[in-house]
Every structure is written in structure tokens, then in C-alpha cells.
Amino acid sequence: MTRFSASGDWTTHPALRVLALAWVLLLAQSGNAASAWALCLAIGLVASRFVARAELPLPAVLALRELPAPVQPLARRRTDATPPAKRDHSQPVVPLLKAHHDPLTGLVTPQHLGDTGEPWAQDLQTRGLSLCVLHVGLDGFDPVIERYGREAGDQVLQQVAKRLRHLARDEDRVMRFDGAEFVLLLSCPAAESAAFSRSMANRVTTELQRPLAYRTVSNLHVGCSVGAATWPLHGATLDIVIQHAAEELARARSRRLPARETEAA
């Protein structure tokens, strides 16, 4: 598009000469048409002078307005500066302290005994004491589960654990060994270990013969068998003595089996 210069002689522009000739022809035909043409020409000249004085041409201004606004980057959050801590999968999910106790009964576990048993046994030996180890196995536990379900079995284990704790003293330990089996470690004078083992085995058997309860059922009977051993008489370590008591439990159950078959006949 051709623009008129604001500083030059506009009468020398070829286009204006053509426009002037057209105005003369219109004036010869009609005065009104020539006046209207002259008014439009004047308005166009004034507009051209204002555009020429602007800092930027009008098309450039319009082009700048159509440009999108620059996108500002999102502010970095403070938490992005420190990456989240990665979990160490080599560590156990359950803390070691909880692994030392059975979540169902609250009794200590074999892991607890493995971590603290030997120092405890050495302390007892220093004081002239020995340990009576009773391995207790419930006899009628499976029929309870078959008839009333697993929840009833859990209730039975909790009640048995509570009774065994009542039989033990503060310095003694009661451990849930495996499933429906428990181990009692009871301190006693070394000279009285044999008599004490027999006495406590009888008390455990009598206590667990009493009926147990589950919901509206108050006459659940399980019974038990007991295998006894003494530390350090039957082994230098607690593991060996507990294994000896487990073998005695198996013998006690094998002796009771023929008796039950005779009663059933």
C-alpha cells in the first residue's frame, strides 16, 4: 500500500494528480458529487498524516497484539527440591519388637527366646537356679475348629494363654511355640527341679481341663498333654532342652492314644 509522505510535496504524487483530474470531471457534471469527493479526499489525507506520525505502522501494531502472551514457568515447590525418601526394602515391615510377641495371645515367641534366652539362663545359673521346661500341646483343638470355626479356635488359644500366664510367676516365661502348642520356662531351685516339674505339669493339666467359652457356648473341652525337661540337666542350651521336652510331649500323646481307643471300645 502506497503512503503519502508527511514532509514531501503531495501535489507531485501521480495518484493525487489522477484524483485531481477526476474531481474536475465530477465538478463539470455535478457540483454535489464534486463536493462529496473532495470531503472524502480531505478525510483520507488527515488519516494518512496521523498514521505517518505513529511510531509503528498500523499492521505492525496489529501483529503485536495478535501474539500470544509468553508462558511463565511454574514456580517450583519447596518439596521438589528434596526428592522423597526411598523405602529400604531390606528392612522388615514388622518391627523386631512386635516379632518378639505373638499378636493373638500376647505371649513371647521363639524369636524372643533366641535373642534373650541365653543371658537369662546364665543369670539363673549364677543365682543357683535351674529351669523347668514344660511343652504343652492341646489335644481337642482341631475338633473345636471343625465345629465352630477359626474364630472359636482363636478364642480358645487366648483363654489358654491367659490361664498359663496365671500359673507362671513374674520372672517365668510363657511362650506360644507352634499352632496349639505352648512352652513354659519356670525357674526353680536345682535340687527341686524334678518334683517341681511333676507338680507344675499336673497343675497345667488340671487348669486346661476346665471348660472354655465361646460366645453362647460355655462348655468347650480341649484338654492337653505335657512333656517336661530340665535345664541344664537335659541339655547345655535352652534349644536342646526344649527339643527334649517336645519329644517327651510326643511320647505322652502316644501313651494316651491307646487309652482313648480302649475307652471308645
Side-chain angles (χ1 to χ4, degrees):
M1 178 179 178
T2 303
R3 294 186 176 275
F4 301 111
S5 175
S7 59
D9 187 3
W10 61 272
T11 59
T12 62
H13 199 283
L16 292 179
R17 292 179 178 181
V18 174
L19 292 175
L21 180 59
W23 178 76
V24 172
L25 295 176
L26 288 175
L27 181 61
Q29 295 180 2
S30 173
N32 293 334
S35 300
W37 182 91
L39 179 62
C40 292
L41 177 61
I43 294 175
L45 291 175
V46 173
S48 177
R49 293 177 67 85
F50 278 106
V51 172
R53 292 178 181 179
E55 296 181 358
L56 291 175
L58 183 59
V61 175
L62 295 177
L64 288 176
R65 291 181 179 179
E66 293 176 358
L67 289 176
V71 179
Q72 298 294 333
L74 295 176
R76 184 167 183 154
R77 295 181 301 175
R78 298 183 65 181
T79 54
D80 295 340
T82 56
K86 294 183 179 180
R87 176 180 171 183
D88 188 0
H89 294 280
S90 62
Q91 299 296 329
V93 177
V94 180
L96 185 61
L97 182 62
K98 291 185 178 180
H100 283 182
H101 291 81
D102 175 42
L104 178 63
T105 62
L107 301 179
V108 296
T109 63
Q111 181 174 346
H112 172 81
L113 187 64
D115 293 341
T116 63
E118 292 302 326
W120 177 52
Q122 292 176 2
D123 177 67
L124 293 176
Q125 191 174 23
T126 303
R127 295 159 53 192
L129 301 175
S130 63
L131 280 177
C132 169
V133 179
L134 301 180
H135 199 127
V136 181
L138 302 183
D139 292 333
F141 183 69
D142 290 339
V144 171
I145 296 179
E146 293 173 0
R147 183 172 182 179
Y148 299 103
R150 175 58 62 180
E151 183 180 355
D154 292 344
Q155 291 288 330
V156 167
L157 293 176
Q158 290 174 345
Q159 294 177 54
V160 169
K162 184 177 181 180
R163 294 184 184 185
L164 294 178
R165 279 199 302 264
H166 284 316
L167 292 176
R169 294 159 298 185
D170 292 340
E171 66 175 354
D172 300 331
R173 300 189 183 184
V174 181
M175 177 176 65
R176 184 182 177 188
F177 188 74
D178 183 21
E181 296 183 2
F182 302 85
V183 173
L184 284 76
L185 296 97
L186 312 171
S187 61
C188 63
E192 303 174 4
S193 59
F196 184 74
S197 295
R198 290 192 297 269
S199 174
M200 290 302 301
N202 291 332
R203 291 183 61 184
V204 169
T205 302
T206 302
E207 185 66 26
L208 297 187
Q209 284 178 345
R210 295 193 298 111
L212 302 170
Y214 170 65
R215 293 185 178 180
T216 59
V217 181
S218 58
N219 59 345
L220 292 179
H221 294 273
V222 291
C224 69
S225 298
V226 181
T230 304
W231 174 87
L233 179 62
H234 294 107
T237 64
L238 292 180
D239 291 339
I240 297 176
V241 177
I242 292 175
Q243 180 61 33
H244 184 79
E247 295 172 357
E248 291 295 325
L249 172 63
R251 296 189 186 97
R253 282 177 166 172
S254 63
R255 290 192 298 266
R256 295 187 61 176
L257 184 59
R260 290 178 181 177
E261 292 178 352
T262 303
E263 293 176 359

